[in-house]
Amino acid sequence: MKKYYKLFFFPAIIIIIAGIFSGFSKQSCDQVVESLLEERTSILQKAYYGKIDEETAEKSLAKIETYPLLSEDIQGLRNSDPTQLDIVKSMELRNVTQSMKMFDYISYQLEIRWYMSGLSADYVCDNEYSVVVKSTNSGYKLSEFNPI
């Protein structure tokens, strides 16, 4: 029996090590959704307030979004009046739950706490959203972002 313990010991060690380090190699979907939404918000804010031009914003959005959200955001950029928009200071994702996964699409229900700066004062608001993320060869892209 002493000769065979190595047959069980080494595969067990390999499985444990692979299990531990596999969690570090890829972000969870929740983290991906959070980073995509933060990047989208940052790009839109910069475009609305003239820190980047419209063409640069559209190219940046195309890297993290897919249709129909991409066309909605581009149309919003072209037709918006930034003087009527409050500034997003930061955002916090809360209660992120995956509601469905179908083919390359993953649906989420989540709540975002927005820390905003308005004309008269800073304020905080909570809103619930439905978010759809599409899995692509290069990673994930936002497909839909709708208030509930």
Side-chain angles (χ1 to χ4, degrees):
M1 185 71 173
K2 289 184 178 183
K3 294 180 181 179
Y4 297 109
Y5 77 93
K6 291 180 182 178
L7 291 176
F8 297 109
F9 183 71
F10 288 120
I13 294 295
I14 291 171
I15 290 171
I16 291 170
I17 290 172
I20 290 172
F21 289 111
S22 67
F24 295 117
S25 64
K26 192 173 184 182
Q27 287 182 316
S28 74
C29 261
D30 295 357
Q31 293 170 331
V32 170
V33 169
E34 184 172 4
S35 69
L36 287 172
L37 289 173
E38 287 175 350
E39 190 171 352
R40 174 183 181 261
T41 302
S42 174
I43 293 167
L44 291 173
Q45 288 283 299
K46 289 176 185 175
Y48 286 140
Y49 293 102
K51 294 181 181 177
I52 59 174
D53 62 277
E54 191 175 291
E55 186 178 325
T56 304
E58 290 176 10
K59 287 179 182 177
S60 297
L61 287 172
K63 292 177 184 175
I64 62 167
E65 292 182 354
T66 187
Y67 296 97
L69 183 60
L70 180 59
S71 58
E72 292 170 8
D73 282 348
I74 289 173
Q75 183 179 12
L77 278 173
R78 293 178 181 170
N79 299 332
S80 70
D81 182 11
T83 59
Q84 297 178 356
L85 300 172
D86 291 341
I87 297 172
V88 177
K89 291 170 56 177
S90 66
M91 59 190 279
E92 174 186 344
L93 266 67
R94 310 173 78 194
N95 304 325
V96 178
T97 55
Q98 181 178 329
S99 56
M100 185 173 53
K101 184 174 183 177
M102 184 178 291
F103 303 112
D104 292 337
Y105 295 91
I106 305 170
S107 299
Y108 289 91
Q109 302 291 323
L110 54 93
E111 181 181 324
I112 298 178
R113 175 165 283 171
W114 299 97
Y115 297 91
M116 307 290 291
S117 179
L119 290 175
S120 59
D122 292 349
Y123 62 95
V124 176
C125 65
D126 293 330
N127 295 317
E128 292 185 29
Y129 296 92
S130 170
V131 176
V132 178
V133 178
K134 182 179 182 184
S135 176
T136 64
N137 293 338
S138 59
Y140 293 96
K141 290 187 174 189
L142 291 169
S143 179
E144 292 183 31
F145 182 72
N146 299 312
I148 296 177

